[in-house]
Amino acid sequence: MSENRKPLLGFVHKVPDANASGNSGKTHCPSCLGLFKAPRLLPCLHTVCTTCLEKLEPFSVVDIRGGDSDTSSEGSLFQEPKSRSLQPQIGILCPVCDAQVDLPLGGVKALTIDHLAMNDVMLESLRGEGQGLVCDLCSDREVEKRCQTCKANLCHFCCQAHRRQKKTMYHTMVDLKDLKGYSRVGKPILCTAHPAEELRLFCELCDRPVCRDCVVGEHREHPYDFTSNVIHKHGDSVRELLRGTQPHVEALEEALAQIKTINSGLQERVEAVAADVRTFSEGYIKAIEEHRDKLLKQLDDIRVQKENSLQLQKAQLEQLLADMRTGVEFTEHLLTSGSDLEILITKGVVVDRLRKLNTVEYSARPGVNDKICFCPQERAGQCRGYEVYGAINTKEVDPAKCVLQGEDLHRAREKQTASFTLLCKDAAGESMGKGGDNVQVAVVPKDKKDSPIRTVVQDNKDGSYHVSFTPKEAGVYTVWVCIREQHVQGSPFTMTVRRKHRPHPGVFHCCAFCSSGGQKTARCACGGTMPGGYLGCGHGHKGHPGRPHWSCCGKFIEKSECTYTAGQSAPRSLLRTVAL
C-alpha cells in the first residue's frame, strides 16, 4: 500500500492572502486572552488553554448515560469503549458558553488537543517575525529556520548541528520569513502510545488515526489505510453534516436580525408611548389640579353661604331675643313695681306687644347643617378634555321624604321574586342623585317573626335602590325599610303573599255553544243561558256578559289568574271541562 499525498484536509498549501488564515479568535484563549498554550478542544467546539481549564472549579455530576459521553479526547483514541454504570463524574463549565464538559479519566490533559489552533498560533508568531518562538531542540534560543522534513523549528546553532548529522544532513531547511505564505506550519502529530511515530494511518474498525506500530500491535488485523486515502470519505461525511447545519445558521442569523429589528422598533415604540404617557399624565395632572381648585373654591363658597345664613339667622334670633327680654323685663317690672292704676293704664300696650312677640315664627334649629362630604368615586364631568372624578355634596337624605314605589309593594306570589324601588330624597324633596346610603330592608312573616326572608338591595348609584326578595310561603308579611335606622315614608307596611298563579282549566270564549261543539248541556261560569234548552251562554243571548270571558271562572281578562275553587256548586264545576 503506497501513501498517496494530496492537497486535501490538513496538508501544506499556499493561501492567496497571508492575513486570511488567522485572527485573535483562532489564536487567543477566550479565558486568559493570550496566545494559546497547549490548547484543548471542548465538546462544545470552544478552544481553551490547558492551564486555564485547570484553574476552573470542577463539580461532581452523575453520568446516567451508560455509554460513551460526548466528550472526546486523545486518550480515547486508543482505548476500547466501555459501558459505564451509574457513577459520579467530574465536570467543568466551558468559560465561553457555560456548557457542561464531562472530564475523561485523565482530567483536563486527556481532552483533545486542538492542533489547528496550535498551527494558527505558529502562523501568528511567524507573522510577528518569529517573536516568541523558541528552538524545538534547545528550547533556549529564538528560531531562525524550519526543517521541512522534521517539521522542527530550529535556532542558528541547532540548525548547523542538524545539517552535520548523517540522518538529517539532507533535510530541507527554510527561513522563517519564507513560511509566512503557508497555511500549515505545525509539527507532525505523533502517536501518544508510540511517541516516535507519526499518525499517518486510519483504523477503519476503531474509527481513529493510528501509527505503523499500532497496526502491528493493538490494531493487528484491523482494516486500515493511509489518512490521505480515507480523508475523502470522512471529509465528505463531515461536509454533508456541515451542509445540513448551514441552513440552521442562516435561519438563526435571520432570526437574530429580526429580533434586532424588532428590538430597535420596540425601543422606538416604547419611547413614543412613553412620550404619550408623559403628555397624557401632565395633562391629566393639570386637569386634576384645576378640578381640585374648583372643588376647593366650591367648598369655600359653600362655607361662606352657610356662614352667612347662620349669621343672618343668628342676628334675627338675637334681635328677637332682645325684644323678648325687653318685653319680659318690662312686664315683670310693671307687675312687681307698678300700682294698680299704672298697670291698667299700660296694659293695652303691653298686651299688644306680648301678643305680637308670641306670634312671631322662628326656628329653634339652625337653618343650615354642617353636612358636607366629598365623594371621590362620583363622576364630575370633563376638565381639559379628561374625565375627572370627585364631587362635593351637601345633600342629606331625609327618610321622611323618601318614596317607595313598585307593583309588588303590597302583594307578591310565593316562590316568585318580588321587588320594589326606594327613591331617596333630601329635605327639600329633591332626588339625592347619588348612592352610598345605608339602606336596611327586612321582610318578616307575621306568624314567624324569627325567620326573616333574605333581601337584596342594589344601589343604582343615582339615588334609587332596587329591593328584591323571594317569599317561600304564602301569608302576610311585614316590610321594614330604614335609612340610618329611621323608617322611610310608608314604612313599615304589610304585604300579602298569595300562592302561585293558577292557570285557567276552561276556555276563553264568548259562546258556550260554539266552544263545546254544540252541546246543549255545556255550562259556563258566567251564568248565561240560551233559548231552546241550551244551558250555556251564546252570542248576544240572554245572560251573555257582552264580551269574551273564561268558561271556568267567568273572568273577562284573558291573562289573569283563575279564581275557580272546588267549593263551587256542582253545575258550575262542570264548566271546567268545556273545551273546543
Side-chain angles (χ1 to χ4, degrees):
M1 183 182 299
S2 64
E3 181 179 358
N4 183 19
R5 296 185 177 274
K6 297 181 181 180
L8 288 171
L9 298 177
F11 294 97
V12 178
H13 62 281
K14 291 290 186 73
V15 294
D17 185 7
N19 294 326
S21 62
N23 52 49
S24 61
K26 297 180 179 180
T27 59
H28 289 70
C29 175
S31 182
C32 65
L33 303 181
L35 287 174
F36 282 121
K37 295 179 181 179
R40 301 285 174 176
L41 182 63
L42 303 180
C44 55
L45 300 186
H46 288 126
T47 304
V48 186
C49 294
T50 301
T51 55
C52 295
L53 291 175
E54 290 175 340
K55 294 178 181 179
L56 296 178
E57 183 177 356
F59 56 89
S60 179
V61 297
V62 177
D63 187 0
I64 60 175
R65 290 169 291 187
D68 293 338
S69 65
D70 293 336
T71 304
S72 60
S73 65
E74 279 195 338
S76 63
L77 294 175
F78 309 102
Q79 297 176 359
E80 293 295 331
K82 298 179 180 179
S83 61
R84 294 180 300 202
S85 60
L86 184 64
Q87 58 182 351
Q89 187 172 358
I90 302 301
I92 58 175
L93 295 180
C94 172
V96 180
C97 65
D98 283 339
Q100 178 179 321
V101 178
D102 298 336
L103 294 179
L105 295 178
V108 171
K109 292 183 179 179
L111 293 172
T112 302
I113 296 177
D114 191 346
H115 297 281
L116 187 61
M118 295 176 65
N119 178 75
D120 292 335
V121 171
M122 182 72 69
L123 290 175
E124 183 78 14
S125 300
L126 289 176
R127 294 189 186 95
E129 301 298 332
Q131 297 178 2
L133 290 179
V134 294
C135 179
D136 290 338
L137 297 181
C138 65
S139 302
D140 187 20
R141 303 177 184 87
E142 290 188 359
V143 176
E144 289 187 2
K145 295 182 180 293
R146 177 180 175 84
C147 177
Q148 289 292 76
T149 306
C150 300
K151 307 297 182 183
N153 299 323
L154 306 173
C155 63
H156 178 71
F157 179 80
C158 293
C159 180
Q160 292 178 348
H162 201 65
R163 287 175 174 174
R164 287 195 294 267
Q165 295 181 7
K166 292 183 179 181
K167 293 183 179 181
T168 59
M169 63 185 301
Y170 297 108
H171 288 189
T172 303
M173 306 298 292
V174 182
D175 292 336
L176 287 181
K177 62 181 180 180
D178 296 333
L179 296 174
K180 293 182 179 180
Y182 287 82
S183 63
R184 295 291 304 176
V185 294
K187 300 177 182 179
I189 302 177
L190 303 178
C191 178
T192 56
H194 310 95
E197 294 295 330
E198 184 178 351
L199 295 175
R200 295 177 178 273
L201 305 174
F202 188 82
C203 178
E204 295 286 356
L205 180 63
C206 301
D207 193 30
R208 66 188 65 181
V210 294
C211 66
R212 290 182 301 177
D213 291 350
C214 290
V215 298
V216 297
E218 182 182 0
H219 297 269
R220 183 181 303 168
E221 297 182 358
H222 288 190
Y224 66 92
D225 200 347
F226 287 104
T227 55
S228 58
N229 294 336
V230 299
I231 188 61
H232 297 282
K233 179 178 68 173
H234 295 279
D236 290 342
S237 64
V238 175
R239 292 189 188 92
E240 184 66 25
L241 287 173
L242 181 62
R243 281 193 294 269
T245 307
Q246 283 292 352
H248 297 292
V249 174
E250 296 173 359
L252 291 173
E253 289 177 347
E254 182 180 355
L256 290 174
Q258 292 178 358
I259 290 176
K260 183 178 179 181
T261 303
I262 293 297
N263 186 57
S264 176
L266 175 63
Q267 296 299 327
E268 295 177 358
R269 188 58 188 158
V270 166
E271 293 176 0
V273 173
D276 293 340
V277 170
R278 293 188 187 96
T279 302
F280 172 82
S281 301
E282 292 171 358
Y284 207 174
I285 291 173
K286 291 180 180 179
I288 292 176
E289 290 176 346
E290 183 176 329
H291 182 55
R292 175 201 62 193
D293 296 340
K294 288 181 180 179
L295 290 176
L296 294 177
K297 175 72 167 53
Q298 180 185 356
L299 181 62
D300 191 62
D301 292 342
I302 292 173
R303 177 189 62 80
V304 171
Q305 179 184 357
K306 287 182 175 288
E307 285 183 350
N308 289 340
S309 298
L310 290 174
Q311 291 297 330
L312 178 59
Q313 185 180 9
K314 176 184 176 184
Q316 292 174 347
L317 293 178
E318 287 178 346
Q319 181 62 47
L320 181 59
L321 178 60
D323 294 342
M324 290 286 186
R325 284 176 176 172
T326 300
V328 170
E329 290 175 359
F330 181 83
T331 303
E332 288 179 346
H333 178 67
L334 176 64
L335 293 175
T336 57
S337 302
S339 64
D340 295 342
L341 183 59
E342 290 174 341
I343 293 175
L344 293 175
I345 291 174
T346 58
K347 177 181 74 72
V349 178
V350 172
V351 171
D352 290 341
R353 181 58 175 169
L354 291 179
R355 285 178 177 174
K356 288 181 180 180
L357 291 175
N358 290 334
T359 57
V360 173
E361 294 182 357
Y362 64 92
S363 174
R365 299 175 58 186
V368 296
N369 54 42
D370 59 351
K371 299 297 183 181
I372 303 175
C373 64
F374 176 63
C375 305
Q377 303 297 332
E378 186 173 338
R379 290 187 176 183
Q382 289 191 344
C383 182
R384 290 177 173 263
Y386 295 89
E387 188 77 22
V388 293
Y389 291 81
I392 294 176
N393 200 309
T394 59
K395 288 185 176 182
E396 184 181 12
V397 63
D398 186 353
K401 296 296 180 69
C402 294
V403 177
L404 294 171
Q405 61 182 20
E407 295 182 358
D408 299 335
L409 270 178
H410 299 286
R411 63 179 183 274
R413 299 277 184 178
E414 65 173 346
K415 298 180 181 179
Q416 294 182 3
T417 301
S419 63
F420 60 85
T421 302
L422 169 64
L423 301 178
C424 291
K425 298 185 178 183
D426 59 7
E430 296 181 357
S431 175
M432 292 297 295
K434 67 178 185 67
D437 295 305
N438 184 18
V439 178
Q440 299 173 331
V441 180
V443 181
V444 182
K446 271 198 169 183
D447 54 348
K448 296 180 181 179
K449 294 185 178 181
D450 57 344
S451 302
I453 298 176
R454 178 179 176 273
T455 58
V456 178
V457 180
Q458 179 181 348
D459 189 349
N460 296 327
K461 307 296 183 182
D462 58 357
S464 65
Y465 298 84
H466 182 265
V467 182
S468 60
F469 57 93
T470 304
K472 297 181 180 179
E473 299 177 355
V476 179
Y477 290 75
T478 302
V479 182
W480 285 272
V481 182
C482 299
I483 296 180
R484 298 198 310 273
E485 299 182 356
Q486 298 182 24
H487 284 282
V488 302
Q489 181 181 356
S491 175
F493 61 89
T494 301
M495 172 181 291
T496 301
V497 176
R498 295 182 294 174
R499 299 194 180 277
K500 284 186 177 181
H501 183 83
R502 296 180 57 193
H504 292 274
V507 292
F508 192 70
H509 66 175
C510 63
C511 180
F513 177 79
C514 295
S515 61
S516 65
Q519 296 182 15
K520 286 188 175 184
T521 58
R523 295 178 180 274
C524 183
C526 69
T529 60
M530 290 188 298
Y534 292 96
L535 302 180
C537 60
H539 298 286
H541 292 284
K542 181 181 178 181
H544 187 269
R547 52 179 167 171
H549 54 280
W550 285 99
S551 64
C552 50
C553 61
K555 277 196 172 182
F556 302 140
I557 302 175
E558 184 174 5
K559 294 182 179 180
S560 62
E561 182 182 9
C562 183
T563 57
Y564 167 79
T565 59
Q568 290 177 324
S569 61
R572 178 167 294 188
S573 64
L574 297 177
L575 299 175
R576 298 188 328 51
T577 61
V578 176
L580 290 175

